[in-house]
């Protein structure tokens, strides 16, 4: 059986900043990995000062699609845009944007994709969205809706045959604990750490319980290349790129997840496909 993994994100670049080494590992192992990108990031900013020009801003939607294609190729995964429109960060929400749509309308493209791709495992964000961007929160909402509704033949008619994914995970990567561990290990090695200012900005530790840790240290370099492929969104001078990868591989050689469905077993997992059976019937 070929396992299938679906990772659902709000914008291009999210797949490379959250769990990218996991995706690269599973893809290298022969898993069919698909990234679903809810919006095109049309209302995003240019976060790389070297590229923040009028020309870039005018062509940003097309540029972000090209960046997404490059990152997917680096990770070795497939990718699908769901055709929803970036909500931006400003109130009030623009009419017709992803976060302003009724839930069933916003979830319909993902229901159709789940029924087409038939993933065994789905990954997305928890109810906070990982950070309070309306599209990240809405990505959680539509994934929960689609995860359940895709199995119900009475729901979303005309979007394919029902399919029931077996497991749902929330991202728990780049936690405060990760930044703290990297900061302390860097200082212990006698090196200057750039994580201090980041830690000062992070909220108190109110993080998801980690149920699953995926060893993927051999794919950190792939993760970094995929992230840098999103050149308009990533400043190479960001502290994330300054820490020692050798230290990271020793201190935190995995990416973390919280199993949201089914109820986690007491023992921690080291594989997203633990307990996955052969093709289930809805």
């Amino acid at each position: 059986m070929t396992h299938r993994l679906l990772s659902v994100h709000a914008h291009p670049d999210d797949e490379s900043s959250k769990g990218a080494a996991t995706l690269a590992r599973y893809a290298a192992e022969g898993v069919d990995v698909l990234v679903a990108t809810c919006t095109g990031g049309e209302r995003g900013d240019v976060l790389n000062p070297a590229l923040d020009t009028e020309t870039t801003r005018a062509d940003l939607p097309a540029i972000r699609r090209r960046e997404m294609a490059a990152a997917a190729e680096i990770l070795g995964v497939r990718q699908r845009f769901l055709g929803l429109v970036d909500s931006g960060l400003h109130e009030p929400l623009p009419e017709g944007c992803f976060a302003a749509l009724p839930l069933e309308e916003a979830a319909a493209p993902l229901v159709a994709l789940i029924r087409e791709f038939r993933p065994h495992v789905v990954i997305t964000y928890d109810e906070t969205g990982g950070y309070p961007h309306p599209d990240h929160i809405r990505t959680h909402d539509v994934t929960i809706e689609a995860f359940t509704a895709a199995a119900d033949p009475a729901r979303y008619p005309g979007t394919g045959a029902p399919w029931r994914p077996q497991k749902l995970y929330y991202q728990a990567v780049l936690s405060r604990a990760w930044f703290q561990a990297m900061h302390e290990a860097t200082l212990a090695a006698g090196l200057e750490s750039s994580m201090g200012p980041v830690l000062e900005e992070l909220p108190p530790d109110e993080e998801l319980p980690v149920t699953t840790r995926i060893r993927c240290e051999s794919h950190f370099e792939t993760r970094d290349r995929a992230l840098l492929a999103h050149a308009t969104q990533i400043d190479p001078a960001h502290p994330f790129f300054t820490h020692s990868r050798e230290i990271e591989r020793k201190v935190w050689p995995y990416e973390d997840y919280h199993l949201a469905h089914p109820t986690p077993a007491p023992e921690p997992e080291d594989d997203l496909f633990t307990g996955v059976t052969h093709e289930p019937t809805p």
Side-chain angles (χ1 to χ4, degrees):
M1 177 180 66
T2 298
H3 287 136
R4 294 182 295 275
L5 174 62
L6 176 64
S7 188
V8 186
H9 290 280
H11 311 109
D13 82 80
D14 290 326
E15 83 298 326
S16 295
S17 62
K18 303 166 186 67
T22 298
L23 301 185
R25 171 194 150 169
Y26 279 113
E29 292 176 355
V31 173
D32 192 357
V33 181
L34 178 63
V35 170
T37 312
C38 292
T39 81
E42 300 88 353
R43 291 190 169 96
D45 296 319
V46 178
L47 302 179
N48 182 348
L51 297 178
D52 191 7
T53 66
E54 185 176 340
T55 300
T56 299
R57 290 191 295 272
D59 198 31
L60 189 59
I63 292 172
R64 295 198 71 176
R65 283 181 173 268
R66 292 195 294 270
E67 291 174 345
M68 180 68 253
E73 183 175 2
I74 290 166
L75 294 173
V77 306
R78 295 192 284 152
Q79 185 269 341
R80 184 85 62 85
F81 283 104
L82 297 187
L84 300 152
V85 179
D86 189 352
S87 305
L89 275 169
H90 304 294
E91 297 287 349
L93 291 172
E95 184 177 354
C97 73
F98 180 36
L101 292 177
L103 179 59
E104 289 200 358
E105 183 178 349
L110 185 57
V111 173
L113 183 61
I114 287 175
R115 289 175 171 175
E116 173 194 339
F117 180 59
R118 303 192 305 164
H120 300 98
V121 175
V122 177
I123 307 171
T124 194
Y125 319 130
D126 71 2
E127 62 274 9
T128 71
Y131 82 110
H133 190 297
D135 286 339
H136 281 246
I137 296 169
R138 198 55 162 173
T139 296
H140 165 83
D141 296 342
V142 302
T143 306
I144 296 301
E145 168 72 5
F147 185 86
T148 303
D152 185 348
R155 305 283 309 280
Y156 296 88
T159 58
W163 178 258
R164 187 187 306 278
Q166 296 181 45
K167 301 180 83 174
L168 174 67
Y169 287 94
Y170 294 156
Q171 299 272 0
V173 298
L174 296 182
S175 60
R176 183 180 182 87
W178 181 87
F179 281 101
Q180 188 70 50
M182 291 302 305
H183 178 63
E184 292 174 359
T186 300
L187 294 177
L191 302 173
E192 183 178 350
S193 172
S194 57
M195 298 296 184
V198 177
L199 283 165
E200 291 175 3
E201 295 177 0
L202 290 176
D205 195 348
E206 296 179 358
E207 294 164 357
L208 285 170
V210 172
T211 63
T212 310
R213 285 190 151 157
I214 305 302
R215 289 291 298 254
C216 51
E217 67 270 36
S218 62
H219 298 279
F220 287 168
E221 188 269 340
T222 301
R223 171 203 64 190
D224 293 348
R225 288 194 295 116
L227 191 53
L228 288 168
H230 292 280
T232 62
Q233 303 303 298
I234 304 301
D235 183 354
H238 188 278
F240 178 78
F241 293 105
T242 63
H243 72 267
S244 163
R245 270 37 185 181
E246 180 179 357
I247 289 175
E248 183 184 13
R249 284 190 288 269
K250 291 178 180 178
V251 173
W252 209 286
Y254 32 70
E255 291 179 332
D256 296 338
Y257 299 88
H258 172 79
L259 179 60
H261 176 85
T263 302
E267 301 80 17
E269 296 180 323
D270 61 4
D271 183 2
L272 297 179
F273 294 94
T274 297
V276 167
T277 60
H278 291 281
E279 308 294 278
T281 54

